[in-house]
Amino acid sequence: MLMKRIFLSLLIAGVIAISAAATHAQSTGRMAWPRGTSANNPIPPVPDQAAERAPVVELKIAPQESKKTALVGSWLTTLGIGNRVVNSFTSDGIVIGSGQGDVSLVPDFPTLTTQLGAWMYVGGQQFALTLVAIQYDVPTAEYRGLIKIHGLLTLDRAGDQFSGTVKVDIFGADGNLVDNLSFGIEGKRIKVEPFN
């Protein structure tokens, strides 16, 4: 019962805050940000006039353009060495990854930060990516070096799976290349599932 009262109190407070903000904006004569309009052709705030003067814009995405962003989303990825990674690809070319084995308490095997980087469309069904992660010691936070990951991914026709190859360069704290390895990679798109 107490949780229900707290929830209702928060809900009512939120509605009051939104109403107060809207009233304040109207009373000061400020208009909402006119998205998609310009000072040369403003859309008037009166609803029936706005509908008459608002330009009709039909958004068409060319097949080639949709291919360039087909990787956007989150993926469950399996590396050829057996580890699993969760990756997210944003529409503006950023890739973020976090995986199994990133945190280590073994002294000779440093912990990795989240992998961050960039991706781009290279043609056909292929995408290139580069990620970096910092290696460090958990107890001391001592810098142990850098890992740089380069990959080439090929997306399937349905756009729900990819496969490819990654190359990992491991640099020591002094910046010198310590080791490198290559292995396969496979990914499966994470989709919204029904809430049961």
Side-chain angles (χ1 to χ4, degrees):
M1 188 67 174
L2 178 62
M3 291 301 288
K4 187 175 180 180
R5 285 184 180 174
I6 293 171
F7 174 76
L8 287 174
S9 298
L10 290 172
L11 182 63
I12 291 168
V15 169
I16 291 170
I18 291 170
S19 298
T23 303
H24 177 71
Q26 288 176 351
S27 67
T28 59
R30 295 169 56 193
M31 293 182 2
W33 176 47
R35 296 180 185 156
T37 64
S38 70
N40 296 333
N41 187 21
I43 295 175
V46 180
D48 49 330
Q49 289 178 354
E52 291 173 14
R53 292 189 52 201
V56 176
V57 178
E58 189 173 320
L59 182 61
K60 293 182 181 178
I61 299 175
Q64 186 66 13
E65 290 301 310
S66 64
K67 276 186 177 182
K68 291 180 182 179
T69 59
L71 199 58
V72 172
S74 293
W75 299 78
L76 180 57
T77 305
T78 304
L79 307 179
I81 56 175
N83 292 19
R84 287 174 175 74
V85 177
V86 178
N87 293 106
S88 290
F89 297 84
T90 68
S91 61
D92 57 349
I94 295 171
V95 60
I96 302 165
S98 182
Q100 172 187 359
D102 286 355
V103 177
S104 172
L105 299 178
V106 179
D108 294 335
F109 193 73
T111 292
L112 297 178
T113 62
T114 298
Q115 301 94 52
L116 300 170
W119 68 274
M120 64 181 272
Y121 175 70
V122 293
Q125 298 290 112
Q126 292 193 318
F127 299 84
L129 60 87
T130 300
L131 294 134
V132 295
I134 294 172
Q135 301 179 86
Y136 67 98
D137 181 63
V138 170
T140 65
E142 176 189 355
Y143 176 71
R144 293 284 186 89
L146 189 73
I147 290 185
K148 192 175 282 190
I149 304 163
H150 302 280
L152 183 63
L153 310 177
T154 302
L155 194 61
D156 71 351
R157 292 273 177 213
D160 292 332
Q161 296 184 22
F162 66 70
S163 60
T165 304
V166 293
K167 178 185 166 198
V168 179
D169 292 326
I170 303 168
F171 298 91
D174 60 2
N176 291 323
L177 183 66
V178 175
D179 200 0
N180 60 23
L181 57 139
S182 295
F183 45 84
I185 183 172
E186 293 181 354
K188 186 174 181 182
R189 186 181 295 278
I190 299 171
K191 296 182 178 182
V192 175
E193 297 178 358
F195 180 77
N196 294 325

